Amino acid sequence: MAVLPADIAELIASEKSLGDIPVWDEKTDPHYIVFTHALTVGTVATGGFQLRVKVSRRWVDRDALMQLEYAPAGKRSAVGLWRLDWKPFHTHGNKSLPLDVAFESYDGSHQHPFADNFMPEAMRMRGNNLPRGRPFPSDPKTLSDFLALGGELFKIKDIGRISLPATGPDIFWQPDD
Amino acid sequence: MIDFTEVNARESVDEAVRRLVTATHFASGSIVSMPVTYPSGSTVTLEVTLQQGRCFVSDRAGGFQEAEMCGATRYFNTEATRIADSLGIRFDGRDMFVAEVPAGNLRGAMVVVANASAEAASAATLRAADRSDKDASDQLYERLATIYKTKDVQKNVQMVGQSNHKWRISVLVMDKFQQWMFEPVTGNYISAVGTAAKFHDFAGVEHAPFRAAVIKSREDMKDFYGLVAGASTKVITINDPDETFHKLMAAA
């Protein structure tokens, strides 16, 4: 796990900007359409501080994620800082901490907040890939709403620059009611 | 189960058990959330499709994604290949799966694929943490080379302990008369236990070298602090001022 920048907590708390329009990668991942995009604070970009978004190829109404992360040049490891899982198929289960959400299980949307997973005294994120989760403040109904919520939580002021990928739902993977 | 409170324990248990495994069905197949978790606490979800009585069971690249989110995909590829080979299942670079399973054996196949995916993600995450220790080692070397300008500072030095085992010392500071070992150590099991074993082995040699464990913080070490401290000459934090490092050397 790479060492985080000394001002990482300030970066998280600051208003951020995408700067330009992220470009979706529709080829690399067989399950998701993805992009990673450098974030700027004011006019300054911290190398490796970026937003990753993954949306499902099959479903337009679930199974997407947004993650703030730090991926410094020259290092093989990126560090997840704050992740939002929108209507995933998996359940997230907390361990014994934080106390107010100990042993909670989230069957639907949930987040892995920076504040719960950052260890300021050690200047690193907790091991095991953001193990502490919490529910969303509200559960978005659409992918557009989810991106908007991500912009609000992550403080990305121009999140509206993200255009949705031009894909429809996979008719073979619709609910079998 | 007898419960003397108003809560019906049996119903609570049954409800918890029911929710341990859930399935969502689609026209082409099913997505099943299994009671097996990745390091982050996410359950493994499987995709199951059926064609002509034969099942296809995949982890939907969930293990890959778990590793991807913490920058450990390189390690995941190695670990997933190793684990898939050992279990006789397949790995295509993203998904771990079994194809052509008779429907009667579906349950067993689901258990194997779910556990394989979780195990590969866990091993990859552990290896990424080990890589972090190597980064810490480079950082420590740069810091000590600046502080101890008048001494010989070397990194990744091989030395033999009392047991005759060859150990890699992260940073060794030397002058004509003495040697000082420095090891960056975290609250990670491998890091803490490995450093304690290494230091114990050198504590027993004649003219035992000075052994300094360099930690991020007391809190970071959790209950491994005592284990590491017991094997070290001194435990210091990486953020201590240069003066602390100089005093350390003078006192040795």
Side-chain angles (χ1 to χ4, degrees), chain A residues 110-164:
Chain A
H110 60 273
Q111 57 174 322
H112 301 254
F114 174 77
D116 286 321
N117 290 285
F118 179 52
M119 301 170 69
E121 68 285 351
M123 279 304 291
R124 69 177 176 88
M125 305 306 293
R126 294 185 187 284
N128 292 332
N129 190 15
L130 307 177
R132 297 181 175 186
R134 287 183 183 275
F136 280 178
S138 61
D139 200 0
K141 287 191 168 51
T142 66
L143 185 55
S144 299
D145 292 344
F146 171 58
L147 294 174
L149 176 69
E152 189 183 319
L153 292 173
F154 292 166
K155 296 187 177 172
I156 302 171
K157 64 180 180 185
D158 54 353
I159 198 77
R161 282 176 180 263
I162 302 174
S163 55
L164 294 179

Short mmCIF file of all heavy atoms in Angstrom, two decimals, chain A residues 110-164:
data_model
loop_
_atom_site.label_atom_id
_atom_site.label_comp_id
_atom_site.label_asym_id
_atom_site.label_seq_id
_atom_site.Cartn_x
_atom_site.Cartn_y
_atom_site.Cartn_z
N HIS A 110 -24.42 0.75 -0.15
CA HIS A 110 -23.68 1.13 1.05
C HIS A 110 -22.40 1.83 0.63
O HIS A 110 -22.01 1.79 -0.54
CB HIS A 110 -23.36 -0.10 1.91
CG HIS A 110 -22.53 -1.12 1.21
ND1 HIS A 110 -23.08 -2.11 0.42
CD2 HIS A 110 -21.19 -1.30 1.13
CE1 HIS A 110 -22.12 -2.85 -0.09
NE2 HIS A 110 -20.95 -2.38 0.31
N GLN A 111 -21.77 2.47 1.59
CA GLN A 111 -20.50 3.15 1.30
C GLN A 111 -19.43 2.67 2.28
O GLN A 111 -19.73 2.14 3.35
CB GLN A 111 -20.68 4.67 1.41
CG GLN A 111 -21.20 5.14 2.76
CD GLN A 111 -21.22 6.65 2.86
OE1 GLN A 111 -20.33 7.33 2.37
NE2 GLN A 111 -22.24 7.18 3.51
N HIS A 112 -18.17 2.88 1.87
CA HIS A 112 -17.02 2.60 2.72
C HIS A 112 -16.32 3.94 2.93
O HIS A 112 -15.41 4.29 2.17
CB HIS A 112 -16.07 1.60 2.03
CG HIS A 112 -16.71 0.29 1.68
ND1 HIS A 112 -16.44 -0.87 2.38
CD2 HIS A 112 -17.60 -0.05 0.72
CE1 HIS A 112 -17.15 -1.87 1.86
NE2 HIS A 112 -17.85 -1.39 0.84
N PRO A 113 -16.76 4.73 3.91
CA PRO A 113 -16.30 6.12 4.01
C PRO A 113 -14.81 6.24 4.38
O PRO A 113 -14.26 5.41 5.11
CB PRO A 113 -17.16 6.71 5.14
CG PRO A 113 -18.29 5.77 5.31
CD PRO A 113 -17.76 4.41 4.92
N PHE A 114 -14.21 7.30 3.86
CA PHE A 114 -12.82 7.62 4.19
C PHE A 114 -12.67 7.76 5.71
O PHE A 114 -11.74 7.22 6.31
CB PHE A 114 -12.42 8.92 3.49
CG PHE A 114 -11.06 9.43 3.85
CD1 PHE A 114 -9.92 8.86 3.31
CD2 PHE A 114 -10.90 10.48 4.74
CE1 PHE A 114 -8.65 9.32 3.64
CE2 PHE A 114 -9.65 10.95 5.08
CZ PHE A 114 -8.51 10.37 4.53
N ALA A 115 -13.60 8.49 6.32
CA ALA A 115 -13.47 8.80 7.75
C ALA A 115 -13.42 7.54 8.62
O ALA A 115 -12.73 7.50 9.63
CB ALA A 115 -14.64 9.68 8.19
N ASP A 116 -14.13 6.50 8.22
CA ASP A 116 -14.15 5.27 9.00
C ASP A 116 -12.94 4.38 8.73
O ASP A 116 -12.61 3.51 9.54
CB ASP A 116 -15.40 4.45 8.69
CG ASP A 116 -16.65 5.06 9.31
OD1 ASP A 116 -16.56 5.55 10.45
OD2 ASP A 116 -17.70 5.05 8.65
N ASN A 117 -12.33 4.57 7.58
CA ASN A 117 -11.27 3.64 7.17
C ASN A 117 -9.87 4.25 7.17
O ASN A 117 -8.90 3.55 6.88
CB ASN A 117 -11.59 3.08 5.78
CG ASN A 117 -12.78 2.14 5.82
OD1 ASN A 117 -12.66 1.01 6.26
ND2 ASN A 117 -13.94 2.62 5.37
N PHE A 118 -9.77 5.54 7.47
CA PHE A 118 -8.47 6.22 7.50
C PHE A 118 -7.90 6.15 8.92
O PHE A 118 -8.61 6.33 9.90
CB PHE A 118 -8.65 7.68 7.08
CG PHE A 118 -7.39 8.49 7.08
CD1 PHE A 118 -6.25 8.06 6.42
CD2 PHE A 118 -7.34 9.71 7.75
CE1 PHE A 118 -5.09 8.82 6.42
CE2 PHE A 118 -6.18 10.48 7.76
CZ PHE A 118 -5.06 10.04 7.09
N MET A 119 -6.58 5.89 9.02
CA MET A 119 -5.91 5.87 10.31
C MET A 119 -4.96 7.06 10.34
O MET A 119 -3.80 6.94 9.86
CB MET A 119 -5.14 4.56 10.49
CG MET A 119 -6.05 3.34 10.41
SD MET A 119 -5.11 1.80 10.33
CE MET A 119 -4.43 1.76 11.98
N PRO A 120 -5.39 8.22 10.86
CA PRO A 120 -4.58 9.43 10.76
C PRO A 120 -3.24 9.32 11.48
O PRO A 120 -2.23 9.85 11.01
CB PRO A 120 -5.46 10.51 11.41
CG PRO A 120 -6.53 9.80 12.13
CD PRO A 120 -6.69 8.46 11.49
N GLU A 121 -3.22 8.57 12.59
CA GLU A 121 -1.96 8.47 13.34
C GLU A 121 -0.90 7.70 12.56
O GLU A 121 0.29 7.92 12.72
CB GLU A 121 -2.20 7.83 14.72
CG GLU A 121 -2.58 6.37 14.73
CD GLU A 121 -4.03 6.08 14.32
OE1 GLU A 121 -4.83 7.02 14.17
OE2 GLU A 121 -4.34 4.89 14.14
N ALA A 122 -1.36 6.79 11.69
CA ALA A 122 -0.42 6.00 10.89
C ALA A 122 -0.35 6.50 9.45
O ALA A 122 0.46 6.03 8.66
CB ALA A 122 -0.83 4.53 10.89
N MET A 123 -1.18 7.47 9.11
CA MET A 123 -1.26 8.03 7.75
C MET A 123 -1.46 6.93 6.69
O MET A 123 -0.80 6.90 5.66
CB MET A 123 -0.02 8.84 7.42
CG MET A 123 -0.04 10.25 7.97
SD MET A 123 -1.50 11.17 7.42
CE MET A 123 -1.14 11.37 5.70
N ARG A 124 -2.36 6.04 6.98
CA ARG A 124 -2.68 5.03 5.98
C ARG A 124 -4.13 4.57 6.14
O ARG A 124 -4.77 4.87 7.16
CB ARG A 124 -1.73 3.84 6.08
CG ARG A 124 -1.90 2.98 7.32
CD ARG A 124 -0.95 1.80 7.27
NE ARG A 124 -0.99 0.99 8.46
CZ ARG A 124 -1.83 -0.03 8.65
NH1 ARG A 124 -2.73 -0.34 7.75
NH2 ARG A 124 -1.79 -0.73 9.77
N MET A 125 -4.61 3.86 5.13
CA MET A 125 -5.96 3.31 5.22
C MET A 125 -5.88 1.96 5.94
O MET A 125 -4.85 1.29 5.93
CB MET A 125 -6.54 3.11 3.81
CG MET A 125 -6.55 4.35 2.93
SD MET A 125 -7.36 5.78 3.69
CE MET A 125 -9.06 5.22 3.77
N ARG A 126 -6.97 1.60 6.58
CA ARG A 126 -7.00 0.29 7.23
C ARG A 126 -6.75 -0.80 6.19
O ARG A 126 -7.11 -0.66 5.03
CB ARG A 126 -8.39 0.03 7.84
CG ARG A 126 -8.68 0.95 8.96
CD ARG A 126 -9.97 0.67 9.68
NE ARG A 126 -10.15 1.76 10.62
CZ ARG A 126 -9.49 1.87 11.75
NH1 ARG A 126 -8.66 0.92 12.12
NH2 ARG A 126 -9.65 2.91 12.53
N GLY A 127 -6.13 -1.90 6.64
CA GLY A 127 -5.88 -3.00 5.73
C GLY A 127 -7.18 -3.64 5.28
O GLY A 127 -8.26 -3.38 5.83
N ASN A 128 -7.08 -4.47 4.25
CA ASN A 128 -8.21 -5.26 3.77
C ASN A 128 -9.26 -4.47 3.00
O ASN A 128 -10.46 -4.78 3.08
CB ASN A 128 -8.88 -6.04 4.91
CG ASN A 128 -7.97 -7.12 5.44
OD1 ASN A 128 -7.14 -7.63 4.70
ND2 ASN A 128 -8.11 -7.45 6.70
N ASN A 129 -8.81 -3.43 2.28
CA ASN A 129 -9.69 -2.83 1.27
C ASN A 129 -10.95 -2.21 1.84
O ASN A 129 -12.06 -2.62 1.54
CB ASN A 129 -10.03 -3.91 0.22
CG ASN A 129 -10.73 -3.35 -0.99
OD1 ASN A 129 -10.73 -2.14 -1.22
ND2 ASN A 129 -11.35 -4.24 -1.75
N LEU A 130 -10.79 -1.19 2.66
CA LEU A 130 -11.91 -0.40 3.20
C LEU A 130 -12.95 -1.29 3.90
O LEU A 130 -14.10 -1.40 3.45
CB LEU A 130 -12.57 0.42 2.09
CG LEU A 130 -11.64 1.31 1.26
CD1 LEU A 130 -12.43 2.02 0.15
CD2 LEU A 130 -10.95 2.35 2.13
N PRO A 131 -12.58 -1.94 5.00
CA PRO A 131 -13.47 -2.93 5.61
C PRO A 131 -14.69 -2.36 6.34
O PRO A 131 -15.61 -3.10 6.64
CB PRO A 131 -12.55 -3.65 6.61
CG PRO A 131 -11.50 -2.65 6.95
CD PRO A 131 -11.28 -1.84 5.71
N ARG A 132 -14.69 -1.05 6.64
CA ARG A 132 -15.80 -0.51 7.43
C ARG A 132 -16.84 0.17 6.53
O ARG A 132 -16.51 1.07 5.78
CB ARG A 132 -15.26 0.48 8.46
CG ARG A 132 -14.32 -0.21 9.45
CD ARG A 132 -13.80 0.75 10.47
NE ARG A 132 -13.00 0.03 11.47
CZ ARG A 132 -12.50 0.58 12.56
NH1 ARG A 132 -12.71 1.86 12.81
NH2 ARG A 132 -11.81 -0.14 13.42
N GLY A 133 -18.08 -0.28 6.66
CA GLY A 133 -19.13 0.24 5.80
C GLY A 133 -20.25 0.91 6.56
O GLY A 133 -20.41 0.71 7.77
N ARG A 134 -21.02 1.71 5.83
CA ARG A 134 -22.20 2.41 6.35
C ARG A 134 -23.23 2.51 5.24
O ARG A 134 -22.88 2.42 4.06
CB ARG A 134 -21.87 3.84 6.78
CG ARG A 134 -21.06 3.95 8.03
CD ARG A 134 -20.83 5.39 8.44
NE ARG A 134 -19.98 5.39 9.61
CZ ARG A 134 -20.43 5.25 10.85
NH1 ARG A 134 -21.74 5.15 11.06
NH2 ARG A 134 -19.61 5.22 11.86
N PRO A 135 -24.50 2.75 5.59
CA PRO A 135 -25.49 2.93 4.54
C PRO A 135 -25.33 4.28 3.85
O PRO A 135 -24.67 5.18 4.38
CB PRO A 135 -26.82 2.87 5.30
CG PRO A 135 -26.48 3.23 6.70
CD PRO A 135 -25.08 2.78 6.93
N PHE A 136 -25.95 4.44 2.68
CA PHE A 136 -26.02 5.74 2.01
C PHE A 136 -26.96 6.65 2.81
O PHE A 136 -27.88 6.16 3.47
CB PHE A 136 -26.65 5.58 0.62
CG PHE A 136 -25.72 5.08 -0.45
CD1 PHE A 136 -26.19 4.86 -1.74
CD2 PHE A 136 -24.39 4.82 -0.18
CE1 PHE A 136 -25.36 4.40 -2.74
CE2 PHE A 136 -23.55 4.36 -1.18
CZ PHE A 136 -24.04 4.14 -2.46
N PRO A 137 -26.78 7.97 2.70
CA PRO A 137 -27.77 8.86 3.32
C PRO A 137 -29.14 8.71 2.67
O PRO A 137 -30.17 8.87 3.32
CB PRO A 137 -27.19 10.27 3.08
CG PRO A 137 -26.12 10.11 2.06
CD PRO A 137 -25.66 8.70 2.11
N SER A 138 -29.16 8.39 1.35
CA SER A 138 -30.42 8.07 0.67
C SER A 138 -30.05 7.17 -0.50
O SER A 138 -28.93 7.24 -1.01
CB SER A 138 -31.08 9.35 0.14
OG SER A 138 -30.22 9.97 -0.79
N ASP A 139 -30.98 6.28 -0.88
CA ASP A 139 -30.64 5.31 -1.92
C ASP A 139 -31.11 5.80 -3.29
O ASP A 139 -32.32 5.87 -3.54
CB ASP A 139 -31.28 3.95 -1.59
CG ASP A 139 -30.59 2.82 -2.34
OD1 ASP A 139 -29.62 3.10 -3.09
OD2 ASP A 139 -31.00 1.66 -2.18
N PRO A 140 -30.19 6.16 -4.18
CA PRO A 140 -30.60 6.70 -5.48
C PRO A 140 -31.39 5.67 -6.30
O PRO A 140 -31.09 4.48 -6.26
CB PRO A 140 -29.26 7.02 -6.16
CG PRO A 140 -28.25 7.03 -5.08
CD PRO A 140 -28.74 6.10 -4.03
N LYS A 141 -32.36 6.17 -7.06
CA LYS A 141 -33.21 5.27 -7.86
C LYS A 141 -32.60 4.98 -9.23
O LYS A 141 -32.85 3.94 -9.82
CB LYS A 141 -34.59 5.89 -8.03
CG LYS A 141 -35.43 5.85 -6.75
CD LYS A 141 -36.87 6.23 -7.06
CE LYS A 141 -37.80 5.94 -5.89
NZ LYS A 141 -37.35 6.50 -4.61
N THR A 142 -31.83 5.94 -9.74
CA THR A 142 -31.27 5.77 -11.09
C THR A 142 -29.75 5.96 -11.05
O THR A 142 -29.21 6.51 -10.09
CB THR A 142 -31.85 6.80 -12.07
OG1 THR A 142 -31.39 8.10 -11.66
CG2 THR A 142 -33.36 6.77 -12.08
N LEU A 143 -29.13 5.53 -12.14
CA LEU A 143 -27.68 5.67 -12.25
C LEU A 143 -27.29 7.16 -12.21
O LEU A 143 -26.29 7.53 -11.59
CB LEU A 143 -27.20 5.01 -13.54
CG LEU A 143 -25.69 4.95 -13.78
CD1 LEU A 143 -24.96 4.27 -12.62
CD2 LEU A 143 -25.39 4.22 -15.09
N SER A 144 -28.08 7.99 -12.87
CA SER A 144 -27.78 9.44 -12.85
C SER A 144 -27.83 9.97 -11.43
O SER A 144 -26.98 10.77 -11.03
CB SER A 144 -28.81 10.22 -13.69
OG SER A 144 -28.78 9.79 -15.00
N ASP A 145 -28.84 9.52 -10.68
CA ASP A 145 -28.96 9.96 -9.28
C ASP A 145 -27.77 9.46 -8.45
O ASP A 145 -27.29 10.14 -7.55
CB ASP A 145 -30.26 9.45 -8.65
CG ASP A 145 -31.49 10.11 -9.26
OD1 ASP A 145 -31.32 11.15 -9.93
OD2 ASP A 145 -32.60 9.58 -9.07
N PHE A 146 -27.33 8.25 -8.77
CA PHE A 146 -26.18 7.69 -8.04
C PHE A 146 -24.93 8.54 -8.29
O PHE A 146 -24.19 8.88 -7.36
CB PHE A 146 -25.94 6.24 -8.47
CG PHE A 146 -24.66 5.64 -7.95
CD1 PHE A 146 -24.40 5.59 -6.58
CD2 PHE A 146 -23.70 5.14 -8.82
CE1 PHE A 146 -23.21 5.05 -6.10
CE2 PHE A 146 -22.51 4.60 -8.34
CZ PHE A 146 -22.26 4.56 -6.98
N LEU A 147 -24.69 8.89 -9.55
CA LEU A 147 -23.52 9.72 -9.87
C LEU A 147 -23.63 11.07 -9.17
O LEU A 147 -22.63 11.60 -8.66
CB LEU A 147 -23.40 9.91 -11.38
CG LEU A 147 -23.09 8.63 -12.19
CD1 LEU A 147 -23.13 8.91 -13.68
CD2 LEU A 147 -21.73 8.06 -11.80
N ALA A 148 -24.86 11.61 -9.12
CA ALA A 148 -25.06 12.90 -8.44
C ALA A 148 -24.75 12.78 -6.95
O ALA A 148 -24.12 13.66 -6.36
CB ALA A 148 -26.50 13.38 -8.66
N LEU A 149 -25.19 11.68 -6.35
CA LEU A 149 -24.90 11.46 -4.92
C LEU A 149 -23.39 11.34 -4.70
O LEU A 149 -22.85 11.90 -3.74
CB LEU A 149 -25.60 10.19 -4.42
CG LEU A 149 -25.28 9.82 -2.96
CD1 LEU A 149 -25.88 10.84 -2.00
CD2 LEU A 149 -25.79 8.42 -2.62
N GLY A 150 -22.73 10.63 -5.61
CA GLY A 150 -21.27 10.51 -5.52
C GLY A 150 -20.61 11.87 -5.58
O GLY A 150 -19.69 12.17 -4.81
N GLY A 151 -21.10 12.72 -6.48
CA GLY A 151 -20.55 14.07 -6.59
C GLY A 151 -20.74 14.85 -5.30
O GLY A 151 -19.85 15.59 -4.86
N GLU A 152 -21.90 14.65 -4.69
CA GLU A 152 -22.20 15.36 -3.44
C GLU A 152 -21.32 14.87 -2.29
O GLU A 152 -20.70 15.67 -1.58
CB GLU A 152 -23.68 15.09 -3.12
CG GLU A 152 -24.26 15.91 -1.99
CD GLU A 152 -25.71 15.49 -1.73
OE1 GLU A 152 -26.46 15.26 -2.70
OE2 GLU A 152 -26.06 15.36 -0.56
N LEU A 153 -21.23 13.56 -2.12
CA LEU A 153 -20.42 13.01 -1.02
C LEU A 153 -18.93 13.28 -1.22
O LEU A 153 -18.22 13.62 -0.28
CB LEU A 153 -20.67 11.50 -0.87
CG LEU A 153 -22.06 11.08 -0.41
CD1 LEU A 153 -22.22 9.56 -0.48
CD2 LEU A 153 -22.33 11.56 1.01
N PHE A 154 -18.47 13.09 -2.45
CA PHE A 154 -17.04 13.27 -2.73
C PHE A 154 -16.67 14.74 -2.96
O PHE A 154 -15.51 15.06 -3.15
CB PHE A 154 -16.63 12.47 -3.98
CG PHE A 154 -16.68 10.97 -3.83
CD1 PHE A 154 -16.63 10.15 -4.95
CD2 PHE A 154 -16.77 10.37 -2.59
CE1 PHE A 154 -16.66 8.76 -4.84
CE2 PHE A 154 -16.80 8.99 -2.46
CZ PHE A 154 -16.75 8.18 -3.59
N LYS A 155 -17.68 15.60 -3.00
CA LYS A 155 -17.47 17.04 -3.25
C LYS A 155 -16.81 17.28 -4.61
O LYS A 155 -15.80 17.98 -4.71
CB LYS A 155 -16.66 17.68 -2.13
CG LYS A 155 -17.38 17.64 -0.78
CD LYS A 155 -16.62 18.43 0.25
CE LYS A 155 -17.39 18.43 1.57
NZ LYS A 155 -16.64 19.01 2.66
N ILE A 156 -17.37 16.65 -5.64
CA ILE A 156 -16.89 16.90 -7.01
C ILE A 156 -17.93 17.81 -7.67
O ILE A 156 -19.02 17.36 -8.03
CB ILE A 156 -16.74 15.58 -7.79
CG1 ILE A 156 -15.76 14.65 -7.06
CG2 ILE A 156 -16.26 15.86 -9.22
CD1 ILE A 156 -15.68 13.25 -7.62
N LYS A 157 -17.57 19.06 -7.82
CA LYS A 157 -18.58 20.06 -8.17
C LYS A 157 -19.13 19.89 -9.59
O LYS A 157 -20.27 20.22 -9.85
CB LYS A 157 -18.01 21.47 -7.99
CG LYS A 157 -16.85 21.80 -8.90
CD LYS A 157 -16.35 23.20 -8.67
CE LYS A 157 -15.18 23.51 -9.59
NZ LYS A 157 -14.57 24.80 -9.34
N ASP A 158 -18.29 19.38 -10.51
CA ASP A 158 -18.76 19.26 -11.89
C ASP A 158 -19.03 17.80 -12.26
O ASP A 158 -18.74 17.36 -13.37
CB ASP A 158 -17.74 19.89 -12.85
CG ASP A 158 -16.33 19.33 -12.66
OD1 ASP A 158 -16.12 18.55 -11.69
OD2 ASP A 158 -15.45 19.67 -13.47
N ILE A 159 -19.59 17.04 -11.33
CA ILE A 159 -19.88 15.62 -11.57
C ILE A 159 -20.83 15.46 -12.77
O ILE A 159 -20.84 14.41 -13.42
CB ILE A 159 -20.47 14.95 -10.29
CG1 ILE A 159 -20.36 13.41 -10.37
CG2 ILE A 159 -21.93 15.35 -10.08
CD1 ILE A 159 -19.02 12.87 -10.09
N GLY A 160 -21.61 16.52 -13.03
CA GLY A 160 -22.56 16.48 -14.16
C GLY A 160 -21.87 16.37 -15.51
O GLY A 160 -22.53 16.11 -16.52
N ARG A 161 -20.55 16.53 -15.55
CA ARG A 161 -19.84 16.38 -16.81
C ARG A 161 -19.82 14.92 -17.28
O ARG A 161 -19.53 14.63 -18.44
CB ARG A 161 -18.38 16.83 -16.66
CG ARG A 161 -18.18 18.32 -16.68
CD ARG A 161 -16.72 18.62 -16.40
NE ARG A 161 -16.46 20.04 -16.41
CZ ARG A 161 -15.99 20.71 -17.46
NH1 ARG A 161 -15.76 20.07 -18.59
NH2 ARG A 161 -15.77 22.00 -17.38
N ILE A 162 -20.08 14.01 -16.34
CA ILE A 162 -20.06 12.58 -16.73
C ILE A 162 -21.32 12.28 -17.53
O ILE A 162 -22.43 12.46 -17.05
CB ILE A 162 -20.02 11.66 -15.48
CG1 ILE A 162 -18.80 11.96 -14.63
CG2 ILE A 162 -20.05 10.21 -15.90
CD1 ILE A 162 -18.76 11.20 -13.31
N SER A 163 -21.12 11.84 -18.76
CA SER A 163 -22.27 11.41 -19.56
C SER A 163 -22.43 9.91 -19.39
O SER A 163 -21.44 9.17 -19.31
CB SER A 163 -22.04 11.76 -21.03
OG SER A 163 -20.83 11.19 -21.46
N LEU A 164 -23.66 9.45 -19.30
CA LEU A 164 -23.89 8.02 -19.09
C LEU A 164 -23.45 7.24 -20.32
O LEU A 164 -23.62 7.72 -21.45
CB LEU A 164 -25.37 7.75 -18.82
CG LEU A 164 -25.92 8.34 -17.52
CD1 LEU A 164 -27.41 8.03 -17.40
CD2 LEU A 164 -25.18 7.79 -16.32
#
